[in-house]
């Protein structure tokens, strides 16, 4: 799990390219223990933007989410950001069962979306 300020995650996700600008669907999020990096499935080594994490830390993880999931999360965050921009939000992969999902949790609300790839999930739980 990565914890970020709601406003920082909102600004990060706003930098994601539009679906028409991608050759293959997928926004890649990589958490290294201190920073959440964003790239695309098209160019996984080209970091588009990054946001520093704060609060609780966990082991590093990586997930490639559908672009539509990022758009849905961005809409939700726009509302949260206007009221609670400095509050923390949890971002984490979830693999209790296949397929894996990415979850965003803040203010008692959780949004969860299936993912394209989650290389850090156990082998039997990967999409």
């Amino acid at each position: 799990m990565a914890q970020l300020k709601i406003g920082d995650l909102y600004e990060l996700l706003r930098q994601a390219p539009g679906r028409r600008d991608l050759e293959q669907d997928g926004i890649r999020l990589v958490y290294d223990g201190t920073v959440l990096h964003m790239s695309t499935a098209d160019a996984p080594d080209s970091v588009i933007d990054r946001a520093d994490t704060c609060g609780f830390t966990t082991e590093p993880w990586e997930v490639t989410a559908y672009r539509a999931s990022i758009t849905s999360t961005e809409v939700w965050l726009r509302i949260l950001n206007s009221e609670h921009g400095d509050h923390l939000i949890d971002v984490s992969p979830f693999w209790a069962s296949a397929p894996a999902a990415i979850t965003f949790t803040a203010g008692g609300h959780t949004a969860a979306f299936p993912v394209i790839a989650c290389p850090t999930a156990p082998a039997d739980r990967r999409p």
Side-chain angles (χ1 to χ4, degrees):
M1 174 180 62
Q3 285 190 318
L4 298 90
K5 290 183 180 178
I6 291 169
D8 292 346
L9 180 60
Y10 175 67
E11 291 302 321
L12 173 79
L13 296 183
R14 286 187 52 204
Q15 303 306 312
R19 198 162 177 205
R20 293 184 189 128
D21 298 326
L22 299 172
E23 289 183 27
Q24 53 182 318
D25 195 9
I27 301 298
R28 187 170 167 264
L29 299 172
V30 178
Y31 170 62
D32 67 8
T34 58
V35 176
L36 184 65
H37 302 269
M38 181 178 65
S39 60
T40 65
D42 296 345
D45 295 326
S46 296
V47 174
I48 295 169
D49 203 1
R50 55 176 261 160
D52 293 328
T53 60
C54 50
F56 184 76
T57 60
T58 63
E59 295 295 317
W61 51 263
E62 174 185 337
V63 66
T64 302
Y66 292 97
R67 180 60 180 98
S69 299
I70 299 301
T71 300
S72 298
T73 304
E74 189 180 337
V75 169
W76 179 55
L77 288 174
R78 184 179 313 133
I79 296 165
L80 288 178
N81 186 43
S82 65
E83 297 177 19
H84 310 288
D86 287 338
H87 292 182
L88 296 180
I89 186 167
D90 301 337
V91 181
S92 61
F94 181 76
W95 49 74
S97 62
I102 184 161
T103 62
F104 301 89
T105 306
H109 302 283
T110 298
F113 303 96
V115 298
I116 297 169
C118 187
T120 51
D124 64 339
R125 305 283 170 90
R126 292 184 188 155

